[in-house]
Amino acid sequence: MAPQKRPALPSLGGRKPNFRERTVDVLRAALIAGELRPGEVYSAPALAPRLGVSATPVREAMLELVKEGMVDIVPNKGFRVTAVSDRQLDEYKHVRSLIEIPTAVGLATTADAGDLKALRPLAMEIVNSAAKGDLIEYIEADLNFHLGLLALAGNDHLVEVVRDLRRRSRLYGLTALVEAGRLRASAEEHLELLDALLARDPEGVREVMTRHLGHIRGLWAAH
């Protein structure tokens, strides 16, 4: 039997600022992308070398992810990745659409142009990570972009609700898109969205956001 391919986790060695938070972010992104698979049990000592750190920050990060419901503790073994049903994913997508689409449409007429332009480097980071096939970086940049955009509406609670929904989501189809060279096309929708916002085009924003969020249970979903 051929050896199972291990998740492509980025090395964190040498990164000191917000070290624990960074470890949590990387592991969370790996879970969302399916680099760490549902039902599998992972131990901190086994994951640590792949991140270039000791087992302690990995164990602490996994305990944080237990609180988020992304993994469960398996005594004396490690942490089991929790599964998310198709129904749950459909519900998360539905709630996100109810929140994110009208909020983005409203920003087409209310957001400051300078604030919107400040999001372009993040949008480019999403495109570049897609081009490289770096799913961990892609998911992190995507999260930062969308939460940064929603924050312009001035409703902190709304941002936290969407943050939680995004953490609960799973995007297992991203790997296939990378292998097919198709992820960059959907990544460029972030630039298209910014252009529509800066053009003060509410209907254009609605169209891009509707198409973009549709990928959650379409292009980006497991097949």
Side-chain angles (χ1 to χ4, degrees):
M1 180 181 294
Q4 185 176 8
K5 183 180 179 181
R6 298 192 304 176
L9 303 180
S11 173
L12 298 177
R15 300 191 184 194
K16 300 299 182 183
N18 300 315
F19 191 74
R20 179 175 173 278
E21 292 84 353
R22 175 63 182 156
T23 306
V24 173
D25 288 343
V26 167
L27 288 173
R28 186 188 295 113
L31 287 162
I32 292 171
E35 300 287 1
L36 301 181
R37 300 298 295 182
E40 294 291 323
V41 176
Y42 298 92
S43 70
L47 286 173
R50 289 148 66 182
L51 290 166
V53 299
S54 69
T56 298
V58 176
R59 187 175 295 107
E60 292 175 346
M62 291 299 253
L63 289 172
E64 185 65 30
L65 295 173
V66 169
K67 297 177 185 177
E68 297 179 13
M70 300 190 77
V71 297
D72 294 323
I73 296 174
V74 180
N76 303 317
K77 291 186 178 181
F79 302 87
R80 177 180 287 112
V81 179
T82 58
V84 182
S85 69
D86 285 343
R87 177 173 178 174
Q88 287 175 303
L89 292 173
D90 287 338
E91 290 174 349
Y92 300 157
K93 186 253 182 179
H94 179 63
V95 176
R96 283 185 58 189
S97 296
L98 291 175
I99 296 173
E100 294 186 60
I101 294 174
T103 300
V105 170
L107 290 172
T109 54
T110 62
D112 178 78
D115 291 336
L116 292 171
K117 290 176 182 177
L119 291 171
R120 192 168 293 276
L122 267 177
M124 285 304 307
E125 186 177 340
I126 298 169
V127 173
N128 292 336
S129 61
K132 292 186 296 182
D134 188 331
L135 293 184
I136 306 298
E137 183 179 291
Y138 178 93
I139 287 174
E140 289 188 278
D142 182 68
L143 173 68
N144 291 333
F145 174 88
H146 284 284
L147 295 185
L149 178 63
L150 293 173
L152 300 183
N155 187 327
D156 293 341
H157 184 66
L158 180 152
V159 174
E160 287 308 309
V161 169
V162 173
R163 186 196 303 274
D164 180 63
L165 290 169
R166 292 178 66 95
R167 286 173 173 174
R168 295 173 183 272
S169 297
R170 299 293 187 272
L171 304 172
Y172 297 155
L174 292 182
T175 299
L177 287 178
V178 168
E179 292 172 351
R182 296 173 57 198
L183 185 59
R184 180 165 181 164
S186 59
E188 289 176 345
E189 289 176 350
H190 298 85
L191 296 171
E192 187 180 350
L193 175 60
L194 279 181
D195 289 342
L197 286 162
L198 287 165
R200 305 305 184 187
D201 179 5
E203 288 310 307
V205 171
R206 186 186 306 279
E207 190 279 324
V208 176
M209 280 297 297
T210 300
R211 173 168 25 105
H212 191 66
L213 288 180
H215 297 328
I216 296 172
R217 301 298 291 135
L219 287 175
W220 301 338
H223 296 286

